[in-house]
Amino acid sequence: MIGLFTITSDLHKEVADKILSDPFLASLASELDFEVHGQDFSDYGKCALDLIYVRTGGTEGIFRSLFPQISKAGRGVVLLTSGKSNSLAASMEILCWLRQRGYAGEIVQGDNQSIISRVKALLSAKDDAQPGGGRFVGFLPETLSLTSSWSDGFRETMRLGVVGHPSDWLISSDADADALRSRLGLELVDVPMDELVSRVVDPKCPCSCPSSLVPLNGNLSRADLRSISESSFATAMKVYHALKSIVNDYKLDGLTVRCFDLLTSVSNTGCMALAMLNAEGVPSSCEGDVPALVSMMICRKVLGLSSFQANPSRIDASAGTVVFAHCTIPLDMVESYKYDTHFESGIGVAVKGELPLGDVTVFKVSPDLKRVFAVDAQLLGNMKEENLCRTQIVVKMDPEASRVFLTDPVGNHQIIVPGHHAGELMSL
């Protein structure tokens, strides 16, 4: 018997209790004998095998709160993902958190037959996947002078703004401020979320497009809008101007924003603002993800390139193909783009970009600054699915590298940069 447990974000409350009516689970139940527990973890560990279906993104904090109960089972944690609604990204963050604490676990995902085969193997052998990665996972040096490669002159430290705190679901992504300063020359600067909000709602905050930015499709014409109101677009531009003013006033070299707080405070998102700031050479990450920002800063200062912070959404480990998606993309990385709403909330302004096909590198520095993941890959195509974040790409890499995401990931967000640079990034 297989115990089936679920965790679901508050943004998806309407599906939390509809378990086997989920087509994904229903298709598995035809061959797997589930004992359905849903969100009740009181009997976790009593079945021969337990699966935790990470139904959506934003569930990492829920898992952490449940972990004292889960850990009593004394077994590796098996996370089941669906390939939609940021299920895989959340599972990667959870697995990274588990690995940091010495717990075994793995992510089970893929097509139905792959999932069924792996679950049956776990049920019979009770084995747990072990960390791998080989040549695709390296280690950061004790010191790395990013300042020596600055094009705008030498300074002792680079200042990275943290607007609000990291999002609650980034449970494995806490950054060590002392290590950032001593090892990378990066200083974290806390900026209260209230300050950003007050600047956005300030009547003096402009909402027009800055003439300094000339996107590849010519302009930010209203004709490009899709499902976006005039007022929503204006507020998105106010978020940009507010963040730009924070960059200038705090003398920041990059920033990260607890962007989901903007959904309730100004009924908008930071997607458009971050797309524009990155295109202007200011590395900017979302969700308050400092390790993602550090990785993007390395790409900017070492390679001189903008980079795309994205979630792995689906993986075919046998083929080495990974679908990456997120709602913001630097505007200087795309061949064309359109506007859409933010995926999880359906409000605000997000960017649906089309990236050029060809060589890319997938890269990430671990939160503890000890590990580096880097692999040369190929961008095979752009996608337009409704159940993923707005910019969606298919990337092919070495299958061994793709399996790292399922056994020992470096957080959930990964950084995509044009060209092949894995050798350079692994030898920083």
Side-chain angles (χ1 to χ4, degrees), residues 106-176:
E106 71 169 283
I107 297 168
V108 177
Q109 64 88 59
D111 59 45
N112 283 9
Q113 198 51 54
S114 296
I115 291 173
I116 291 167
S117 296
R118 182 56 185 156
V119 170
K120 287 181 176 179
L122 287 168
L123 189 61
S124 60
K126 300 183 178 60
D127 59 341
D128 298 299
Q130 296 303 312
R135 64 191 184 279
F136 304 107
V137 179
F139 298 90
L140 272 183
E142 286 301 312
T143 57
L144 171 62
S145 178
L146 291 181
T147 55
S148 65
S149 63
W150 288 12
S151 59
D152 55 348
F154 178 84
R155 283 164 53 187
E156 183 180 355
T157 59
M158 297 166 60
R159 292 168 59 83
L160 303 183
V162 182
V163 184
H165 298 290
S167 294
D168 297 339
W169 49 84
L170 295 181
I171 58 176
S172 76
S173 300
D174 291 338
D176 185 329

Side-chain angles (χ1 to χ4, degrees), residues 260 263 269 271 327 340-350 390:
F260 273 70
L263 298 177
T269 69
C271 305
C327 282
D340 205 334
T341 55
H342 176 246
F343 167 59
E344 287 90 344
S345 65
I347 66 174
V349 182
R390 304 313 188 191

Side-chain angles (χ1 to χ4, degrees), residues 63-318:
F63 176 88
R64 181 172 57 184
S65 68
L66 290 167
F67 188 67
Q69 192 169 7
I70 293 169
S71 63
K72 292 178 182 178
R75 58 173 60 162
V77 175
V78 183
L79 304 168
L80 176 66
T81 78
S82 66
K84 61 183 181 180
S85 299
N86 290 326
S87 172
L88 176 57
S91 298
M92 288 173 59
E93 184 76 9
I94 291 169
L95 184 54
C96 183
W97 185 84
L98 287 169
R99 290 295 191 191
Q100 288 171 348
R101 286 153 182 79
Y103 289 96
E106 71 169 283
I107 297 168
V108 177
Q109 64 88 59
D111 59 45
N112 283 9
Q113 198 51 54
S114 296
I115 291 173
I116 291 167
S117 296
R118 182 56 185 156
V119 170
K120 287 181 176 179
L122 287 168
L123 189 61
S124 60
K126 300 183 178 60
D127 59 341
D128 298 299
Q130 296 303 312
R135 64 191 184 279
F136 304 107
V137 179
F139 298 90
L140 272 183
E142 286 301 312
T143 57
L144 171 62
S145 178
L146 291 181
T147 55
S148 65
S149 63
W150 288 12
S151 59
D152 55 348
F154 178 84
R155 283 164 53 187
E156 183 180 355
T157 59
M158 297 166 60
R159 292 168 59 83
L160 303 183
V162 182
V163 184
H165 298 290
S167 294
D168 297 339
W169 49 84
L170 295 181
I171 58 176
S172 76
S173 300
D174 291 338
D176 185 329
D178 292 337
L180 283 171
R181 174 183 276 277
S182 63
R183 296 183 64 186
L184 299 180
L186 301 176
E187 178 184 359
L188 297 184
V189 179
D190 288 328
V191 181
M193 193 69 192
D194 288 346
E195 181 165 347
L196 171 59
V197 173
S198 66
R199 294 189 187 214
V200 174
V201 300
D202 186 341
K204 296 179 182 178
C205 182
C207 62
S208 59
C209 173
S211 58
S212 62
L213 182 68
V214 182
L216 295 181
N217 65 349
N219 55 61
L220 291 173
S221 159
R222 298 297 190 273
D224 293 319
L225 302 182
R226 182 165 72 91
S227 303
I228 306 297
S229 69
E230 294 281 334
S231 62
S232 184
F233 186 81
T235 302
M237 294 306 300
K238 283 179 175 287
V239 174
Y240 162 77
H241 284 287
L243 285 173
K244 184 78 169 183
S245 69
I246 286 174
V247 169
N248 293 332
D249 292 349
Y250 282 82
K251 296 180 173 56
L252 302 177
D253 299 285
L255 59 80
T256 185
V257 184
R258 186 182 168 96
C259 48
F260 273 70
D261 283 12
L262 294 173
L263 298 177
T264 53
S265 59
V266 299
S267 298
N268 217 289
T269 69
C271 305
M272 189 70 205
L274 301 185
M276 295 168 71
L277 286 169
N278 275 301
E280 293 174 350
V282 181
S284 304
S285 73
C286 50
E287 301 177 35
D289 191 332
V290 175
L293 174 59
V294 171
S295 303
M296 296 171 80
M297 182 63 73
I298 290 173
C299 289
R300 172 62 66 181
K301 295 305 177 182
V302 174
L303 304 177
L305 296 169
S306 294
S307 54
F308 177 33
Q309 172 190 352
N311 287 324
S313 298
R314 286 198 298 273
I315 298 172
D316 182 343
S318 61

Side-chain angles (χ1 to χ4, degrees), residues 351-366:
V351 181
K352 170 69 181 83
E354 297 284 324
L355 277 70
L357 308 186
D359 296 347
V360 295
T361 304
V362 184
F363 171 63
K364 185 69 181 295
V365 173
S366 67

